Amino acid sequence: MEMNQQHNEGNESFVALMNGVAGDGTATLPLVSFNQNDGEQSMSIPARELFAAIEADSGLLPVNSSNTNEKRKRRLQRLTGKQSEVLEGFFSICGHPDDGQKRHLSETTGLGLDQVKFWFQNKRTQVKTMCWKEENYKLSVENEILRDENRRVKIAHCTAICLTCRNSSVQNQLAVEMERLMGQSERLQQEIARSNGTPPAANLAFQLNSSADYVFSGQHDQQMIAELAKNAMHALIILAESHVALWFPVPGCSYEVLNKMAYDQAYPGDNSANAIGFKTEATRAVSMVMMDYKSVVDFLMDPYNYRTFFPEVISGAVTNRIYTWPTSDGYNGVIQLMTVEMMFPSPLVPARKCTFLRYCNVLNEGLVVVIDVSLDDGSIFSKCRKMPSGFLIQSIRPNSCKVTAIEHVLADDTGVHELYQPCMNGLVFGARRWVATMARQSARMRDVHHNKTAPQVSTKGRKNLMKLADDLLASFAGGITATGGGTWTVVIGAGTEKDIRVAYRRTTEGSSSYNAILSVSASLRLPLPMRKTFDLLRNLTHRCKWDVLVHGSVVKEEVTIARGVGNDDTVTVLHCKRAGREDRGRTMILQNNGYDASGSFMVYSQIDSELMNTMVLSPSDLPPGRGGPSLYPTGFSLLPDVEAAQDSSGIALGEVGGTLMTMGFQIPVKLASGDRMYSRSAASAIRLMTDTIALVKKTLMNEHSGIYGVSPFHP
């Protein structure tokens, strides 16, 4: 009876509670009873506090209880800077600590075990979320690239014009297009003349001499330079936006070549400087760059940033003179005279040095054009002269833009080996290589700063390793390029497989026992597509068969520092270990590799494991310029054999045909008295290169036969 009565009273109290009143009609909530041990004991607490505790746990309503407020304050307590530093540092090494490590972290930071455990859980979730967002962003940008390329292919297909066709409708279409372009060019020239108050000078941009600063006197100097830059800007805009007549798409490639006959009709007299021995190279390419357009302009206009943005393309850049200085608007309206030396990593392709005006103009919000045009006439003063070239940069998203590059030059290619002559118009120094490098570098920078590809490496550590990888690539390219300056002294050889090139330069870097760097390189043709050659060289399983740095060790990928465009474009740290050795005897290798039809590369260098750990675990900012440790690069430069792929129209360049491969390495040496190279050093280097070439060719032949069933060297 007592239990039933108590049960009924409890039901009445619960009903009154749900109605918001107590049994006596007041707003005071009653006590709620809980029976334990078959009703032998009972405990009563205020119902208001019970529901307040439930609401506090569920986060539905605010709570006024002092105990609950104290509990919430404890939950929202933030970590101190020291605690965060300890936890972040350990997370960079291990993201899943065991119980012993958690207890050690708890004692070190003064936090509870549950706090440490939940911190690591939340950190792992945060990293996964950031990776997912970054991957989604990359996929959306790649979708934009494919959509834009599909649009350009459709336009090229619908507006295709064949100059050899005798159809009258096609000839009429070409004539109408030429008339439109000529009329537009003439109208722009008249507008410039009216705005400057000077008579029209249609061909002024293409008739100035590099040594003819005397042509400009006093106040007319800057005015004439500005007119020249505007003429080139209007010509570049027409070239960048024209979809018919002026450009021919290259089958299987993502770039276009200039229709020279149509260009001569639209700009008569512009090739007046096309002297004997100079060839015209003109290409256009488009790519999506994962960087805001203002940052792209900053990289292009500053000489130091310009050189670091293209580590394997530019060996030197300097501003000779500034005609219009930057203002609060940034580089808008800036006109400067620059000298740039461009290179291709092969001893059979001489470097190009070109002096030109660079002009930046903001057309609209989010639309900027950077124009290059030379002042010389291609005579004895320069072997490379730029016609209106440059970049049209259009903002697509807050952190991405579309870049249209046009490279139009008159160049003297008499020093280029016949092996690379077919690749000069479009690949070696063409627009495709410029936009591919921009897309790769911007994607890597974004990955280093925003994406947690390597959560075990801090952001500062990834930045340091990324800078070392860029310096490694620039050093490799500069060491094997046939430069015209006195940076490297060539001892022997021309750079072919049968005539290995050996060069050296004096240096103060590295150990005091070595005072020079020896560079050895050779170029050869392989009857294997560039795509397959690149994949076989990157294969870590077969690395021990040809790499002298590995010496038969097992090679594994330790960590990926940054990814560029696609999985073939990475900066990684490799771990080499001999069987039976302790882990402390391992060898670390920093590798930088990228794939593109305009040129692929795989460059690497051994790096001390203690130095690597110092840079990763306790990184500090590297000084500007070439900072950090001394690295001696070894690697490969690949280019598709255009002649071997001429009969495979429609197939992507690099997937068929052969490969032009350049091998090179650098080693520290000791010079003889008088800064001369020891003959035995050159002989040892040649012997090492000969053996390496034989091992690489044998490995590629055997592995290609095992994978594809037939040897490319034996039909």
Side-chain angles (χ1 to χ4, degrees):
M1 294 290 293
E2 293 179 358
M3 293 181 63
N4 293 334
Q5 183 178 1
Q6 189 175 12
H7 180 70
N8 294 334
E9 291 177 355
N11 289 337
E12 293 176 358
S13 299
F14 182 76
V15 173
L17 174 65
M18 298 301 294
N19 293 330
V21 296
D24 57 357
T26 64
T28 303
L29 294 176
L31 298 178
V32 179
S33 300
F34 295 92
N35 294 330
Q36 300 177 351
N37 299 330
D38 297 332
E40 294 179 0
Q41 297 180 0
S42 62
M43 178 180 64
S44 300
I45 62 174
R48 184 185 300 277
E49 294 185 9
L50 174 64
F51 276 80
I54 296 174
E55 293 163 357
D57 290 337
S58 61
L60 297 176
L61 296 174
V63 182
N64 296 326
S65 173
S66 60
N67 294 334
T68 307
N69 286 334
E70 292 178 0
K71 185 182 296 185
R72 171 169 291 185
K73 289 180 181 179
R74 286 196 299 270
R75 289 176 181 173
L76 296 179
Q77 181 181 3
R78 299 192 178 277
L79 303 181
T80 63
K82 184 64 176 178
Q83 291 172 336
S84 299
E85 183 179 354
V86 172
L87 294 176
E88 291 281 356
F90 192 88
F91 184 81
S92 65
I93 304 174
C94 176
H96 295 270
D98 55 23
D99 294 338
Q101 292 170 334
K102 291 178 182 177
R103 285 193 297 270
H104 178 71
L105 289 173
S106 176
E107 295 173 358
T108 305
T109 60
L111 301 174
L113 286 175
D114 290 340
Q115 288 179 292
V116 174
K117 181 182 72 173
F118 293 139
W119 186 91
F120 275 88
Q121 289 179 356
N122 294 337
K123 187 66 176 179
R124 289 193 296 267
T125 303
Q126 180 185 6
V127 169
K128 290 181 181 179
T129 302
M130 292 180 63
C131 291
W132 178 83
K133 290 182 179 179
E134 187 66 20
E135 187 66 23
N136 186 38
Y137 177 81
K138 287 185 177 180
L139 290 176
S140 62
V141 172
E142 290 178 3
N143 185 39
E144 291 284 349
I145 296 175
L146 295 176
R147 186 180 302 169
D148 184 74
E149 186 174 355
N150 186 33
R151 180 183 60 82
R152 289 189 291 108
V153 170
K154 288 183 178 179
I155 293 176
H157 177 73
C158 295
T159 60
I161 297 177
C162 179
L163 297 179
T164 60
C165 182
R166 299 300 180 182
N167 192 315
S168 59
S169 61
V170 175
Q171 296 293 338
N172 293 335
Q173 182 182 2
L174 177 61
V176 171
E177 180 65 19
M178 290 299 99
E179 184 177 356
R180 185 188 69 82
L181 291 175
M182 294 175 63
Q184 185 176 0
S185 177
E186 183 178 355
R187 185 177 67 256
L188 292 174
Q189 295 292 342
Q190 292 176 356
E191 291 179 0
I192 294 174
R194 285 196 300 269
S195 62
N196 294 334
T198 58
N203 298 322
L204 177 64
F206 320 115
Q207 295 176 353
L208 300 180
N209 190 285
S210 60
S211 62
D213 285 342
Y214 60 85
V215 173
F216 307 123
S217 59
Q219 67 273 17
H220 298 291
D221 188 349
Q222 187 170 351
Q223 181 180 358
M224 298 293 285
I225 289 293
E227 183 178 351
L228 185 153
K230 290 180 180 179
N231 285 341
M233 179 188 69
H234 291 301
L236 180 70
I237 293 175
I238 294 176
L239 291 174
E241 296 182 347
S242 176
H243 298 294
V244 294
L246 289 180
W247 298 99
F248 288 145
V250 179
C253 304
S254 298
Y255 69 94
E256 302 163 302
V257 296
L258 184 67
N259 182 350
K260 297 179 182 179
M261 186 172 70
Y263 182 82
D264 292 340
Q265 294 181 13
Y267 297 96
D270 289 350
N271 290 327
S272 58
N274 193 3
I276 299 176
F278 283 77
K279 296 172 58 178
T280 300
E281 300 176 10
T283 55
R284 180 177 71 171
V286 182
S287 179
M288 296 292 294
V289 176
M290 291 201 297
M291 181 182 292
D292 63 281
Y293 73 98
K294 293 183 179 179
S295 298
V296 175
V297 172
D298 292 340
F299 276 105
L300 294 177
M301 298 300 295
D302 181 79
Y304 174 77
N305 292 333
Y306 186 47
R307 185 173 64 254
T308 58
F309 200 44
F310 301 92
E312 84 283 14
V313 181
I314 298 176
S315 58
V318 63
T319 298
N320 301 326
R321 183 177 178 183
I322 299 178
Y323 295 94
T324 305
W325 289 84
T327 62
S328 58
D329 296 334
Y331 288 103
N332 184 25
V334 171
I335 304 177
Q336 58 187 7
L337 186 68
M338 299 181 65
T339 298
V340 176
E341 186 178 48
M342 298 164 286
M343 60 181 175
F344 185 82
S346 173
L348 305 183
V349 180
R352 284 183 177 178
K353 181 176 289 187
C354 187
T355 300
F356 54 86
L357 286 177
R358 173 155 287 185
Y359 171 47
C360 177
N361 188 28
V362 178
L363 302 178
N364 294 309
E365 181 63 26
L367 183 61
V368 184
V369 60
V370 177
I371 308 99
D372 298 337
V373 60
S374 290
L375 297 177
D376 59 11
D377 59 357
S379 61
I380 61 174
F381 302 101
S382 176
K383 291 188 176 182
C384 177
R385 176 178 180 274
K386 279 202 174 188
M387 305 292 281
S389 306
F391 305 91
L392 184 66
I393 308 164
Q394 181 180 0
S395 178
I396 302 298
R397 296 187 178 185
N399 293 321
S400 62
C401 58
K402 184 178 76 170
V403 177
T404 302
I406 294 177
E407 186 70 4
H408 186 188
V409 299
L410 297 175
D412 181 7
D413 290 337
T414 54
V416 179
H417 194 272
E418 60 180 5
L419 198 65
Y420 285 88
Q421 282 287 352
C423 305
M424 295 307 296
N425 188 19
L427 292 180
V428 176
F429 294 112
R432 167 76 182 185
R433 192 164 176 233
W434 290 104
V435 296
T437 305
M438 293 177 68
R440 177 175 63 248
Q441 289 296 103
S442 61
R444 288 182 174 185
M445 291 179 184
R446 181 177 178 84
D447 198 37
V448 166
H449 290 85
H450 301 285
N451 192 16
K452 302 296 183 180
T453 302
Q456 64 271 40
V457 184
S458 64
T459 301
K460 187 175 292 185
R462 292 197 301 272
K463 289 172 60 179
N464 288 344
L465 292 176
M466 180 65 192
K467 185 181 184 307
L468 283 180
D470 285 342
D471 291 344
L472 191 69
L473 180 59
S475 177
F476 171 78
I480 65 177
T481 301
T483 56
T487 305
W488 293 86
T489 301
V490 179
V491 180
I492 190 174
T496 61
E497 180 182 1
K498 299 180 180 180
D499 194 5
I500 298 172
R501 176 178 179 265
V502 180
Y504 73 95
R505 66 177 176 89
R506 188 174 181 86
T507 180
T508 57
E509 302 174 359
S511 174
S512 58
S513 58
Y514 302 107
N515 56 3
I517 297 178
L518 182 66
S519 175
V520 187
S521 58
S523 296
L524 62 149
R525 177 187 278 118
L526 292 176
L528 187 68
M530 185 178 70
R531 172 79 266 180
K532 297 175 183 177
T533 302
F534 182 82
D535 291 340
L536 291 174
L537 289 175
R538 284 194 62 206
N539 193 308
L540 299 181
T541 304
H542 311 301
R543 188 74 171 263
C544 60
K545 299 180 180 180
W546 56 264
D547 193 351
V548 295
L549 291 182
V550 174
H551 296 294
S553 302
V554 178
V555 185
K556 294 184 179 180
E557 184 175 306
E558 186 84 3
V559 63
T560 300
I561 303 302
R563 294 187 184 276
V565 182
N567 296 325
D568 299 323
D569 187 356
T570 56
V571 175
T572 56
V573 176
L574 305 180
H575 169 200
C576 304
K577 181 182 178 183
R578 285 183 180 270
R581 283 193 173 184
E582 296 182 1
D583 188 64
R584 65 171 179 267
R586 64 183 182 176
T587 301
M588 307 297 291
I589 292 179
L590 179 63
Q591 180 169 297
N592 186 355
N593 53 261
Y595 181 86
D596 189 75
S598 61
S600 304
F601 59 87
M602 189 183 81
V603 184
Y604 56 94
S605 174
Q606 183 176 342
I607 185 171
D608 185 73
S609 58
E610 295 183 2
L611 177 62
M612 177 69 69
N613 292 333
T614 301
M615 296 185 64
V616 172
L617 303 182
S618 303
S620 58
D621 291 328
L622 293 177
R626 281 190 56 83
S630 299
L631 301 180
Y632 304 103
T634 301
F636 302 85
S637 171
L638 307 177
L639 194 68
D641 191 349
V642 177
E643 283 188 334
Q646 287 180 350
D647 298 332
S648 57
S649 60
I651 303 178
L653 193 63
E655 300 292 337
V656 294
T659 303
L660 304 180
M661 181 173 71
T662 296
M663 301 175 57
F665 60 83
Q666 296 179 15
I667 53 176
V669 295
K670 180 75 173 179
L671 292 179
S673 58
D675 291 345
R676 293 179 300 172
M677 174 66 62
Y678 284 110
S679 58
R680 62 176 179 270
S681 298
S684 300
I686 293 175
R687 184 169 58 254
L688 179 60
M689 173 60 73
T690 303
D691 295 341
T692 304
I693 290 176
L695 287 173
V696 169
K697 293 176 67 173
K698 180 180 178 181
T699 302
L700 294 180
M701 179 181 64
N702 292 340
E703 299 306 328
H704 180 271
S705 302
I707 295 175
Y708 301 100
V710 62
S711 171
F713 297 94
H714 301 286

